[in-house]
Amino acid sequence: MIDKFFSLFTHDIGIDLGTANTLVYVRGKGIVIREPSVVARHKKTKAMLAIGAQAKKMEGRTPQTLEAVRPLKDGVIADFDATAAMLSYFIKRVHETPQGARRLGFPKISKPRVVIGIPSGVTEVERRAVQDAALSAGARQAYLIEEPMAAAIGAGLPVADPGGIFVVDMGGGTTEIALISLGGIVLNRGLRIAGDELDEAIISYLRLRYSLLLGRTSAEEAKLSIGSAVAQKPEKYHVVRGRDLETGLPKSIKVSSEEIREALVPILQQIIVRIADTLESSPPELVSDVIEKGIVLAGGGALISGFDQLISEMIKIPVWVADDPLTAVVRGTAKVLEDPRLLSQVRVTGGLR
């Protein structure tokens, strides 16, 4: 009875450590955390003030003594201390001994196993940095799995089969393009052009066309609200607010989905060119599988209206969007945690403290 009660509070954890957002899966509970990958802290002392959603609200609004930073840049750790603090915060939120259990005299819960999705193109130094950050945050074991592999597993694809599976995972900092077969990545291309660059494209477009200086958060809102890769009928509109560069005063304008599309499409086409290059470098036998099965689109970029259609039109291969593409990677880490056989089949690097 005691063991059964104690097991209720002992869970392994899967983490999609993204540049823009971090998702945390707890075995037996599902996805329990979806928060921005942002940390607010003092500039001099580096003391953490807020993490996640609370820190996101501070972006662009901090006084000179504070800063709101993203610990990850282009899919890799740019600030180790901030990343370790963020991981520690999320792990402790979902894996602490309940106070009631402590009063009853239960010992401290053992450290969890953690599986973390990382970009496939990171270096060994960057892999070690992620692993060390997880171990420093309280993990007993830290396994790393490439994001396109995790996305394919999360989408329910048979990654251990000999057939080729082509995955495009477009997140906030990187776009991962991978060809998967027999439980491993045969070919991959990591492109550091993704959601953040789309936001920057919107900011640049409105600055040049309307002399309007827009914040990153406002640009992201416009992208999510009316962003598209192909023409929309009827056209949509969104009001953006920023600073007029000519007068220095606040200014609001109504932009159309056609204008936002004009800003986004050049960036999306760069990604599609890289997809085509990857297909050209792929083994012919696996390419034939891709032509038959199509390309799988995951990550936040899959939510851009018509992006799958634009890829299909340019490459002449069917494209389909994974179910709930935002959570595909974290659901893949969950399946790896729950299936020891799958953990041994896919090529996952692990660490033990």
Side-chain angles (χ1 to χ4, degrees):
M1 181 67 180
I2 291 177
D3 290 341
K4 187 175 182 181
F5 174 77
F6 185 76
S7 67
L8 294 174
F9 307 107
T10 305
H11 303 284
D12 293 329
I13 299 171
I15 300 175
D16 175 8
L17 189 61
T19 302
N21 297 285
T22 297
L23 285 75
V24 179
Y25 169 92
V26 177
R27 187 175 182 180
K29 294 183 179 180
I31 299 171
V32 296
I33 292 177
R34 301 187 190 201
E35 295 209 18
S37 302
V38 183
V39 171
R41 64 188 178 187
H42 282 285
K43 284 185 177 179
K44 290 185 178 180
T45 65
K46 302 301 182 183
M48 302 296 169
L49 297 177
I51 295 173
Q54 290 297 319
K56 175 73 171 178
K57 295 176 182 178
M58 300 181 188
E59 274 193 314
R61 299 180 174 90
T62 56
Q64 293 182 353
T65 56
L66 307 178
E67 60 181 356
V69 299
R70 292 188 177 187
L72 293 101
K73 183 175 176 59
D74 297 331
V76 298
I77 290 180
D79 189 319
F80 178 82
D81 292 336
T83 302
M86 187 174 69
L87 281 172
S88 179
Y89 171 74
F90 289 139
I91 289 174
K92 286 178 180 177
R93 270 183 59 179
V94 301
H95 202 271
E96 281 191 324
T97 305
Q99 291 184 357
R102 290 177 182 174
R103 287 196 296 267
L104 291 173
F106 285 96
K108 187 177 180 180
I109 293 179
S110 61
K111 295 177 180 180
R113 288 189 312 157
V114 177
V115 175
I116 303 174
I118 60 169
S120 57
V122 300
T123 65
E124 285 302 318
V125 172
E126 291 167 340
R127 286 174 181 266
R128 177 59 61 182
V130 175
Q131 207 167 60
D132 288 347
L135 295 172
S136 299
R140 180 177 81 251
Q141 290 176 307
Y143 295 97
L144 307 180
I145 182 171
E146 289 88 351
E147 285 177 354
M149 176 67 77
I153 295 171
L157 300 174
V159 296
D161 290 355
I165 297 172
F166 199 91
V167 178
V168 178
D169 177 27
M170 182 178 173
T174 60
T175 298
E176 298 292 317
I177 305 166
L179 180 62
I180 297 170
S181 180
L182 293 171
I185 295 179
V186 177
L187 194 64
N188 71 279
R189 296 286 187 272
L191 185 62
R192 296 191 175 181
I193 297 176
D196 289 345
E197 280 65 32
L198 295 178
D199 297 339
E200 291 292 340
I202 293 172
I203 292 171
S204 178
Y205 179 88
L206 295 179
R207 184 176 62 247
L208 293 173
R209 181 157 187 169
Y210 295 106
S211 294
L212 180 71
L213 182 59
L214 205 63
R216 181 184 291 274
T217 301
S218 299
E220 184 180 11
E221 289 174 357
K223 177 185 69 178
L224 296 176
S225 177
I226 60 173
S228 64
V230 296
Q232 301 290 298
K233 293 185 179 180
E235 290 287 338
K236 300 177 182 178
Y237 296 89
H238 180 80
V239 176
V240 295
R241 298 174 177 86
R243 187 174 78 243
D244 191 321
L245 291 173
E246 296 178 356
T247 66
L249 298 175
K251 180 180 179 180
S252 299
I253 61 170
K254 181 186 286 187
V255 295
S256 68
S257 54
E258 181 180 359
E259 291 174 307
I260 299 300
R261 181 168 61 256
E262 189 176 338
L264 298 182
V265 166
I267 306 298
L268 297 176
Q269 287 177 337
Q270 291 183 47
I271 295 172
I272 295 172
V273 168
R274 185 59 66 90
I275 293 172
D277 290 343
T278 306
L279 284 168
E280 288 178 6
S281 303
S282 302
E285 291 81 2
L286 296 179
V287 171
S288 65
D289 294 331
V290 175
I291 294 173
E292 180 182 349
K293 299 175 183 177
I295 295 171
V296 183
L297 199 57
L303 299 177
I304 297 175
S305 180
F307 186 33
D308 55 336
Q309 182 181 339
L310 183 63
I311 297 173
S312 184
E313 288 176 356
M314 292 185 66
I315 298 184
K316 311 302 181 186
I317 292 178
V319 179
W320 58 278
V321 178
D323 293 335
D324 195 4
L326 277 173
T327 66
V329 171
V330 77
R331 286 187 284 116
T333 65
K335 290 184 178 181
V336 170
L337 277 171
E338 294 171 351
D339 189 348
R341 185 172 59 87
L342 185 60
L343 182 65
S344 64
Q345 284 179 335
V346 299
R347 296 171 188 175
V348 180
T349 58
L352 177 65
R353 169 173 281 186

